[in-house]
Amino acid sequence: MADKYNEPILNSKVISDDTAVKLAVDKIIEEHLAENKNADVYKFLFNCIDLTTLKSTDSPRSVADFTERVNAFDNEHPDLKNVAAICVYPNFSQVVRTVLDVTDVKVACVSGGFPSSQTFPEVKIAETALAVEGGADEIDIVLNLGNFFDNDYEEVATEIDEIHHACRGARLKVILETGALKTAENIKRASILALYSGADFLKTSTGKEYPGASLEAAYVMIQCIKEYHEKTGRMVGFKCSGGVASTAEAVAYYTLVKEILGEKWLTNQYFRIGASRLANNLLSDILGEETKFF
């Protein structure tokens, strides 16, 4: 393994003992969760949602209808900020771009052989470039877990860098698939590799094959983002996804970001939640009645 990939891992001071991580998370949640259970935080969290449809049955018509609901939200709830982005498969980027009328909602696409990341690097690059050409503002890819577990960190980093180049200005979210990485040490290593390879966001999970987001995984990732920012001055975002469905769960991730990274990260430029069910649950808590808008 080349020193340029090993060195930042070896020099990192981020805690990677699983027991210590859990204790640190429990302390933050116990001390600060309650203060964030309020309508202003719920409204902010709604504005951080990547509203997602990633089904085998998605079609141009269903994705267009999905996008029209986001358009309708602006008209029906003008007092609330809309979701941050609509996230779809890459072949639908042009559909969303064509139908979307809301200027401050981004078009996000999964890419790179999502969700397994098991295809040719050339295909990953081409798929990403085509999604961006179709109108994607943001690209979500999965870190190559096979190469990671083979300790081929150079290949992992090179692939992320090449896909980042193919983004041509679109922001790149790198999904670590923390449920497959399992340990705090693996999550730390994967986070550092992604950060030093050009990731604009670290994202927890696909929500597909493995367990989704956990507060412990988020804690390690957020600490890596903080350390990276202190060393480089570059702000990188954090996105939790995979099973984050309730308002209470969303508030817990918000609490970690607020306490570790601070107010600068409390904007949808740097904090996102990948969700399909969360939007209606948050909206219900904001409005004070059960709502199924999306």
Side-chain angles (χ1 to χ4, degrees):
M1 182 176 60
D3 284 343
K4 70 185 254 188
Y5 305 108
N6 200 25
E7 188 175 344
I9 293 171
L10 291 174
N11 290 338
S12 174
K13 306 299 183 187
V14 172
I15 299 170
S16 59
D17 175 81
D18 292 304
T19 301
V21 167
K22 187 178 188 315
L23 289 171
V25 169
D26 290 347
K27 186 174 188 293
I28 291 172
I29 295 302
E30 182 181 351
E31 292 179 357
H32 298 285
L33 181 66
E35 68 200 49
N36 297 320
K37 291 182 176 179
N38 60 71
D40 286 341
V41 171
Y42 301 162
K43 290 175 184 178
F44 168 75
L45 289 169
F46 185 86
N47 186 229
C48 293
I49 290 175
D50 284 0
L51 194 68
T52 303
T53 179
L54 296 171
K55 301 192 294 285
S56 298
T57 53
D58 287 343
S59 69
R61 181 181 295 277
S62 73
V63 171
D65 290 344
F66 189 77
T67 306
E68 286 288 15
R69 292 306 291 159
V70 174
N71 290 337
F73 184 85
D74 249 28
N75 296 323
E76 296 185 33
H77 296 280
D79 53 322
L80 295 175
K81 290 185 178 180
N82 215 316
V83 296
I86 297 173
C87 185
V88 296
Y89 281 113
N91 47 310
F92 297 118
S93 62
Q94 194 164 11
V95 174
V96 180
R97 175 54 67 208
T98 301
V99 176
L100 184 62
D101 293 333
V102 188
T103 55
D104 56 352
V105 175
K106 303 296 185 184
V107 180
C109 289
V110 296
S111 185
F114 179 94
S116 67
S117 193
Q118 295 288 13
T119 189
F120 300 101
E122 296 85 354
V123 172
K124 298 179 182 184
I125 291 165
E127 186 177 44
T128 299
L130 288 167
V132 173
E133 185 179 351
D137 303 297
E138 303 172 353
I139 296 292
D140 294 35
I141 66 164
V142 181
L143 177 139
N144 193 315
L145 291 167
N147 287 339
F148 178 85
F149 284 119
D150 275 355
N151 293 317
D152 192 350
Y153 293 171
E154 183 169 7
E155 189 63 33
V156 172
T158 298
E159 182 172 284
I160 294 170
D161 178 64
E162 289 177 349
I163 295 173
H164 188 251
H165 182 72
C167 285
R168 301 198 304 271
R171 300 180 79 198
L172 179 65
K173 307 188 195 97
V174 178
I175 307 166
L176 304 186
E177 199 66 290
T178 55
L181 293 173
K182 295 183 180 178
T183 68
E185 179 61 32
N186 280 339
I187 294 165
K188 171 181 170 178
R189 287 170 178 260
S191 296
I192 293 169
L193 283 171
L195 288 166
Y196 282 89
S197 303
D200 298 304
F201 260 83
L202 295 186
K203 177 178 170 182
T204 58
S205 320
T206 63
K208 297 296 183 182
E209 187 178 353
Y210 296 95
S214 74
L215 292 173
E216 290 75 22
Y219 176 88
V220 176
M221 294 165 67
I222 294 167
Q223 290 286 6
C224 288
I225 290 169
K226 180 180 180 180
E227 183 180 71
Y228 177 77
H229 177 252
E230 288 170 351
K231 289 182 177 180
T232 68
R234 181 170 173 260
M235 288 179 69
V236 172
F238 169 75
K239 177 177 173 179
C240 53
S241 60
V244 184
S246 72
T247 297
E249 288 169 327
V251 172
Y253 288 100
Y254 168 93
T255 301
L256 289 185
V257 171
K258 180 182 178 183
E259 294 306 314
I260 299 168
L261 291 171
E263 297 285 341
K264 284 175 67 178
W265 265 264
L266 295 182
T267 160
N268 71 11
Q269 184 81 354
Y270 294 106
F271 178 52
R272 295 286 180 85
I273 306 171
S276 51
R277 292 173 292 165
L278 177 63
N280 285 329
N281 291 334
L282 270 173
L283 201 53
S284 297
D285 287 329
I286 292 166
L287 300 176
E289 60 184 15
E290 186 174 358
T291 305
K292 293 185 178 178
F293 188 90
F294 295 103

